[in-house]
Short mmCIF file of all heavy atoms in Angstrom, two decimals:
data_model
loop_
_atom_site.label_atom_id
_atom_site.label_comp_id
_atom_site.label_asym_id
_atom_site.label_seq_id
_atom_site.Cartn_x
_atom_site.Cartn_y
_atom_site.Cartn_z
N LEU O 1310 28.76 41.62 40.53
CA LEU O 1310 29.93 41.30 39.73
C LEU O 1310 30.77 42.54 39.44
O LEU O 1310 31.97 42.48 39.56
CB LEU O 1310 29.47 40.64 38.42
CG LEU O 1310 30.58 40.15 37.47
CD1 LEU O 1310 31.45 39.16 38.15
CD2 LEU O 1310 30.00 39.63 36.18
N GLU O 1311 30.10 43.57 39.12
CA GLU O 1311 30.79 44.85 38.87
C GLU O 1311 31.50 45.32 40.09
O GLU O 1311 32.59 45.88 40.05
CB GLU O 1311 29.81 45.89 38.30
CG GLU O 1311 29.28 45.61 36.96
CD GLU O 1311 28.27 46.60 36.52
OE1 GLU O 1311 27.70 47.36 37.36
OE2 GLU O 1311 27.97 46.64 35.33
N LYS O 1312 30.81 45.15 41.26
CA LYS O 1312 31.34 45.54 42.48
C LYS O 1312 32.65 44.77 42.78
O LYS O 1312 33.65 45.33 43.22
CB LYS O 1312 30.33 45.33 43.61
CG LYS O 1312 30.47 46.21 44.78
CD LYS O 1312 29.26 45.94 45.67
CE LYS O 1312 29.26 46.90 46.77
NZ LYS O 1312 28.30 46.72 47.72
N MET O 1313 32.54 43.52 42.54
CA MET O 1313 33.70 42.66 42.79
C MET O 1313 34.84 43.01 41.86
O MET O 1313 35.99 43.10 42.33
CB MET O 1313 33.30 41.20 42.57
CG MET O 1313 34.01 40.30 43.53
SD MET O 1313 33.88 38.61 43.10
CE MET O 1313 32.28 38.13 43.47
N GLN O 1314 34.57 43.29 40.63
CA GLN O 1314 35.56 43.68 39.65
C GLN O 1314 36.20 45.00 40.08
O GLN O 1314 37.44 45.16 40.02
CB GLN O 1314 34.94 43.88 38.28
CG GLN O 1314 34.71 42.58 37.53
CD GLN O 1314 34.11 42.85 36.16
OE1 GLN O 1314 33.47 43.88 35.87
NE2 GLN O 1314 34.30 41.92 35.27
N SER O 1315 35.40 45.92 40.54
CA SER O 1315 35.87 47.19 40.98
C SER O 1315 36.80 47.03 42.17
O SER O 1315 37.88 47.69 42.26
CB SER O 1315 34.69 48.12 41.34
OG SER O 1315 35.15 49.33 41.83
N GLN O 1316 36.43 46.19 43.13
CA GLN O 1316 37.26 45.93 44.33
C GLN O 1316 38.60 45.33 43.92
O GLN O 1316 39.66 45.62 44.40
CB GLN O 1316 36.54 45.00 45.29
CG GLN O 1316 35.49 45.71 46.11
CD GLN O 1316 34.76 44.74 47.03
OE1 GLN O 1316 34.91 43.51 46.87
NE2 GLN O 1316 34.04 45.28 47.98
N ILE O 1317 38.53 44.35 42.96
CA ILE O 1317 39.77 43.69 42.53
C ILE O 1317 40.69 44.66 41.78
O ILE O 1317 41.87 44.71 42.02
CB ILE O 1317 39.39 42.47 41.57
CG1 ILE O 1317 38.73 41.36 42.41
CG2 ILE O 1317 40.62 41.94 40.87
CD1 ILE O 1317 38.21 40.22 41.59
N LEU O 1318 40.00 45.52 40.97
CA LEU O 1318 40.81 46.56 40.27
C LEU O 1318 41.42 47.52 41.22
O LEU O 1318 42.61 47.89 41.11
CB LEU O 1318 39.95 47.27 39.24
CG LEU O 1318 39.74 46.55 37.89
CD1 LEU O 1318 38.71 47.33 37.08
CD2 LEU O 1318 41.01 46.41 37.13
N ASP O 1319 40.64 47.95 42.26
CA ASP O 1319 41.18 48.90 43.26
C ASP O 1319 42.31 48.29 44.00
O ASP O 1319 43.36 48.90 44.24
CB ASP O 1319 40.06 49.30 44.24
CG ASP O 1319 39.04 50.29 43.63
OD1 ASP O 1319 39.44 50.88 42.56
OD2 ASP O 1319 38.00 50.48 44.18
N GLU O 1320 42.12 47.02 44.36
CA GLU O 1320 43.15 46.31 45.13
C GLU O 1320 44.39 46.13 44.26
O GLU O 1320 45.54 46.29 44.70
CB GLU O 1320 42.64 44.94 45.57
CG GLU O 1320 43.53 44.37 46.70
CD GLU O 1320 42.95 43.09 47.25
OE1 GLU O 1320 41.75 43.01 47.55
OE2 GLU O 1320 43.73 42.16 47.38
N ALA O 1321 44.18 45.81 42.98
CA ALA O 1321 45.30 45.61 42.07
C ALA O 1321 46.07 46.92 41.85
O ALA O 1321 47.28 47.01 41.82
CB ALA O 1321 44.81 45.11 40.71
N ARG O 1322 45.26 48.04 41.78
CA ARG O 1322 45.91 49.39 41.63
C ARG O 1322 46.73 49.70 42.92
O ARG O 1322 47.83 50.22 42.80
CB ARG O 1322 44.88 50.46 41.49
CG ARG O 1322 44.45 50.53 40.08
CD ARG O 1322 43.58 51.83 39.85
NE ARG O 1322 42.77 51.63 38.61
CZ ARG O 1322 41.48 51.53 38.61
NH1 ARG O 1322 40.73 51.61 39.67
NH2 ARG O 1322 40.87 51.30 37.43
N ARG O 1323 46.11 49.43 44.09
CA ARG O 1323 46.81 49.67 45.37
C ARG O 1323 48.13 48.84 45.38
O ARG O 1323 49.17 49.31 45.76
CB ARG O 1323 45.92 49.34 46.53
CG ARG O 1323 45.03 50.48 46.94
CD ARG O 1323 44.41 50.27 48.32
NE ARG O 1323 43.72 49.01 48.45
CZ ARG O 1323 42.50 48.76 48.14
NH1 ARG O 1323 41.74 49.70 47.67
NH2 ARG O 1323 41.99 47.56 48.29
N ASN O 1324 47.99 47.55 45.00
CA ASN O 1324 49.16 46.68 45.01
C ASN O 1324 50.24 47.18 44.00
O ASN O 1324 51.39 47.21 44.29
CB ASN O 1324 48.77 45.24 44.64
CG ASN O 1324 48.20 44.48 45.82
OD1 ASN O 1324 48.35 44.88 46.94
ND2 ASN O 1324 47.51 43.40 45.50
N ALA O 1325 49.72 47.58 42.84
CA ALA O 1325 50.63 48.09 41.82
C ALA O 1325 51.29 49.38 42.35
O ALA O 1325 52.51 49.59 42.18
CB ALA O 1325 49.89 48.37 40.52
N ASP O 1326 50.46 50.25 43.02
CA ASP O 1326 51.03 51.49 43.52
C ASP O 1326 52.05 51.19 44.62
O ASP O 1326 53.12 51.84 44.66
CB ASP O 1326 49.93 52.39 44.09
CG ASP O 1326 49.05 53.05 43.00
OD1 ASP O 1326 49.52 53.07 41.81
OD2 ASP O 1326 47.96 53.56 43.31
N GLU O 1327 51.73 50.23 45.47
CA GLU O 1327 52.65 49.85 46.55
C GLU O 1327 53.98 49.27 45.92
O GLU O 1327 55.05 49.60 46.38
CB GLU O 1327 52.04 48.81 47.47
CG GLU O 1327 50.99 49.41 48.45
CD GLU O 1327 50.34 48.32 49.30
OE1 GLU O 1327 50.87 47.17 49.38
OE2 GLU O 1327 49.32 48.66 49.90
N ILE O 1328 53.79 48.43 44.94
CA ILE O 1328 54.98 47.77 44.28
C ILE O 1328 55.79 48.92 43.63
O ILE O 1328 57.00 48.90 43.71
CB ILE O 1328 54.50 46.72 43.27
CG1 ILE O 1328 53.98 45.50 44.01
CG2 ILE O 1328 55.69 46.32 42.36
CD1 ILE O 1328 53.33 44.44 43.16
N LEU O 1329 55.07 49.82 42.94
CA LEU O 1329 55.79 50.92 42.27
C LEU O 1329 56.47 51.80 43.24
O LEU O 1329 57.63 52.22 43.03
CB LEU O 1329 54.74 51.72 41.40
CG LEU O 1329 55.31 52.78 40.47
CD1 LEU O 1329 56.25 52.12 39.48
CD2 LEU O 1329 54.17 53.47 39.76
N GLU O 1330 55.78 52.10 44.40
CA GLU O 1330 56.37 52.95 45.40
C GLU O 1330 57.59 52.24 46.02
O GLU O 1330 58.61 52.89 46.23
CB GLU O 1330 55.30 53.24 46.49
CG GLU O 1330 55.73 54.23 47.54
CD GLU O 1330 54.63 54.46 48.57
OE1 GLU O 1330 53.48 54.60 48.16
OE2 GLU O 1330 54.98 54.45 49.74
N GLN O 1331 57.47 50.94 46.26
CA GLN O 1331 58.61 50.16 46.84
C GLN O 1331 59.74 50.12 45.84
O GLN O 1331 60.91 50.31 46.22
CB GLN O 1331 58.11 48.74 47.17
CG GLN O 1331 59.14 47.87 47.81
CD GLN O 1331 59.54 48.36 49.17
OE1 GLN O 1331 58.82 49.01 49.89
NE2 GLN O 1331 60.83 48.18 49.52
N ALA O 1332 59.42 49.96 44.57
CA ALA O 1332 60.44 49.89 43.51
C ALA O 1332 61.15 51.23 43.40
O ALA O 1332 62.36 51.30 43.29
CB ALA O 1332 59.85 49.51 42.17
N GLU O 1333 60.36 52.33 43.50
CA GLU O 1333 60.96 53.67 43.43
C GLU O 1333 61.85 53.89 44.65
O GLU O 1333 62.92 54.52 44.55
CB GLU O 1333 59.86 54.77 43.34
CG GLU O 1333 59.28 54.86 41.94
CD GLU O 1333 58.13 55.90 41.87
OE1 GLU O 1333 57.89 56.57 42.89
OE2 GLU O 1333 57.56 56.02 40.79
N LYS O 1334 61.38 53.47 45.83
CA LYS O 1334 62.14 53.58 47.06
C LYS O 1334 63.45 52.82 46.95
O LYS O 1334 64.52 53.32 47.28
CB LYS O 1334 61.31 53.08 48.25
CG LYS O 1334 61.99 53.28 49.57
CD LYS O 1334 61.08 52.74 50.68
CE LYS O 1334 61.83 52.84 52.03
NZ LYS O 1334 61.09 52.25 53.09
N GLU O 1335 63.38 51.57 46.47
CA GLU O 1335 64.58 50.77 46.27
C GLU O 1335 65.54 51.34 45.25
O GLU O 1335 66.73 51.37 45.42
CB GLU O 1335 64.19 49.33 45.89
CG GLU O 1335 63.63 48.51 47.07
CD GLU O 1335 63.23 47.12 46.64
OE1 GLU O 1335 63.56 46.70 45.54
OE2 GLU O 1335 62.57 46.45 47.44
N ALA O 1336 64.95 51.89 44.15
CA ALA O 1336 65.77 52.48 43.12
C ALA O 1336 66.44 53.73 43.70
O ALA O 1336 67.64 54.01 43.44
CB ALA O 1336 64.90 52.87 41.93
N GLY O 1337 65.74 54.48 44.51
CA GLY O 1337 66.37 55.68 45.15
C GLY O 1337 67.50 55.26 46.12
O GLY O 1337 68.57 55.90 46.11
N GLU O 1338 67.25 54.17 46.87
CA GLU O 1338 68.30 53.70 47.79
C GLU O 1338 69.52 53.24 46.95
O GLU O 1338 70.64 53.46 47.36
CB GLU O 1338 67.75 52.55 48.67
CG GLU O 1338 66.81 53.03 49.69
CD GLU O 1338 66.12 51.89 50.46
OE1 GLU O 1338 66.42 50.72 50.17
OE2 GLU O 1338 65.33 52.18 51.39
N ILE O 1339 69.22 52.51 45.83
CA ILE O 1339 70.31 52.03 45.01
C ILE O 1339 71.12 53.22 44.42
O ILE O 1339 72.33 53.24 44.43
CB ILE O 1339 69.76 51.09 43.90
CG1 ILE O 1339 69.33 49.79 44.49
CG2 ILE O 1339 70.85 50.86 42.82
CD1 ILE O 1339 68.57 48.89 43.54
N ARG O 1340 70.32 54.23 43.94
CA ARG O 1340 71.00 55.46 43.42
C ARG O 1340 71.84 56.14 44.47
O ARG O 1340 72.95 56.55 44.26
CB ARG O 1340 69.95 56.44 42.85
CG ARG O 1340 69.50 56.14 41.46
CD ARG O 1340 68.78 57.37 40.82
NE ARG O 1340 67.60 57.79 41.57
CZ ARG O 1340 66.38 57.30 41.44
NH1 ARG O 1340 66.17 56.35 40.58
NH2 ARG O 1340 65.39 57.74 42.16
N GLU O 1341 71.28 56.24 45.67
CA GLU O 1341 72.00 56.90 46.81
C GLU O 1341 73.22 56.12 47.16
O GLU O 1341 74.32 56.67 47.32
CB GLU O 1341 71.02 57.01 48.01
CG GLU O 1341 71.65 57.85 49.12
CD GLU O 1341 70.68 58.02 50.28
OE1 GLU O 1341 69.45 58.11 50.10
OE2 GLU O 1341 71.16 57.99 51.42
N GLU O 1342 73.07 54.79 47.27
CA GLU O 1342 74.22 53.94 47.55
C GLU O 1342 75.28 54.03 46.46
O GLU O 1342 76.48 54.09 46.70
CB GLU O 1342 73.74 52.49 47.72
CG GLU O 1342 74.76 51.54 48.30
CD GLU O 1342 75.27 51.95 49.67
OE1 GLU O 1342 74.50 52.44 50.51
OE2 GLU O 1342 76.52 51.76 49.94
N ALA O 1343 74.84 54.01 45.18
CA ALA O 1343 75.78 54.11 44.07
C ALA O 1343 76.44 55.45 44.09
O ALA O 1343 77.65 55.57 43.83
CB ALA O 1343 75.01 53.92 42.72
N GLY O 1344 75.70 56.51 44.41
CA GLY O 1344 76.30 57.80 44.51
C GLY O 1344 77.39 57.90 45.58
O GLY O 1344 78.46 58.46 45.40
N LYS O 1345 77.06 57.33 46.78
CA LYS O 1345 78.00 57.28 47.90
C LYS O 1345 79.25 56.44 47.49
O LYS O 1345 80.35 56.82 47.76
CB LYS O 1345 77.38 56.64 49.11
CG LYS O 1345 76.40 57.52 49.84
CD LYS O 1345 75.83 56.88 51.05
CE LYS O 1345 74.77 57.73 51.74
NZ LYS O 1345 74.13 56.98 52.85
N SER O 1346 78.95 55.32 46.82
CA SER O 1346 80.04 54.45 46.40
C SER O 1346 80.92 55.16 45.39
O SER O 1346 82.15 55.09 45.40
CB SER O 1346 79.50 53.16 45.81
OG SER O 1346 80.52 52.35 45.36
N ALA O 1347 80.26 55.85 44.39
CA ALA O 1347 80.99 56.59 43.36
C ALA O 1347 81.79 57.72 43.98
O ALA O 1347 82.92 57.99 43.64
CB ALA O 1347 79.98 57.12 42.31
N GLN O 1348 81.18 58.40 44.98
CA GLN O 1348 81.87 59.50 45.66
C GLN O 1348 83.08 58.97 46.41
O GLN O 1348 84.16 59.55 46.33
CB GLN O 1348 80.89 60.19 46.66
CG GLN O 1348 81.49 61.39 47.33
CD GLN O 1348 81.79 62.53 46.41
OE1 GLN O 1348 81.12 62.77 45.45
NE2 GLN O 1348 82.88 63.24 46.64
N ALA O 1349 82.89 57.85 47.13
CA ALA O 1349 84.04 57.25 47.87
C ALA O 1349 85.12 56.80 46.87
O ALA O 1349 86.32 57.06 47.15
CB ALA O 1349 83.54 56.05 48.69
N GLU O 1350 84.76 56.18 45.77
CA GLU O 1350 85.73 55.76 44.77
C GLU O 1350 86.44 56.90 44.17
O GLU O 1350 87.68 56.91 43.97
CB GLU O 1350 85.03 54.88 43.66
CG GLU O 1350 85.95 54.32 42.65
CD GLU O 1350 86.96 53.34 43.21
OE1 GLU O 1350 86.80 52.85 44.33
OE2 GLU O 1350 87.92 53.04 42.46
N SER O 1351 85.68 57.98 43.85
CA SER O 1351 86.29 59.16 43.27
C SER O 1351 87.24 59.83 44.25
O SER O 1351 88.32 60.29 43.88
CB SER O 1351 85.27 60.10 42.69
OG SER O 1351 85.01 61.20 43.49
N SER O 1352 86.86 59.84 45.53
CA SER O 1352 87.72 60.43 46.59
C SER O 1352 89.00 59.56 46.73
O SER O 1352 90.12 60.15 46.89
CB SER O 1352 87.01 60.47 47.95
OG SER O 1352 85.94 61.42 47.93
N ARG O 1353 88.82 58.25 46.67
CA ARG O 1353 90.01 57.36 46.75
C ARG O 1353 90.94 57.59 45.56
O ARG O 1353 92.16 57.71 45.70
CB ARG O 1353 89.51 55.87 46.79
CG ARG O 1353 90.70 54.89 47.06
CD ARG O 1353 90.21 53.45 46.88
NE ARG O 1353 89.87 53.15 45.45
CZ ARG O 1353 90.82 52.94 44.51
NH1 ARG O 1353 92.09 53.05 44.73
NH2 ARG O 1353 90.44 52.64 43.26
#
């Protein structure tokens, strides 16, 4: 039971890390896109 709990927790951590990593990646892309958009708007 402990083994199973440990595996579930590890998998949940990995999933959480993947989700967090994906969220950070998307946030970075959004920031980069917003920066480009802001730069283009400010240039215009």
Side-chain angles (χ1 to χ4, degrees):
L1310 182 61
E1311 289 175 347
K1312 207 174 186 182
M1313 215 193 284
Q1314 279 180 338
S1315 177
Q1316 283 177 347
I1317 290 173
L1318 279 173
D1319 286 343
E1320 196 175 314
R1322 278 191 202 113
R1323 275 193 307 273
N1324 281 343
D1326 287 344
E1327 283 176 17
I1328 291 172
L1329 189 58
E1330 188 180 314
Q1331 184 63 32
E1333 284 178 3
K1334 184 179 175 187
E1335 286 178 12
E1338 288 173 358
I1339 290 171
R1340 274 195 304 272
E1341 189 178 323
E1342 191 61 37
K1345 286 179 184 176
S1346 178
Q1348 184 65 35
E1350 182 65 14
S1351 101
S1352 292
R1353 187 189 68 75

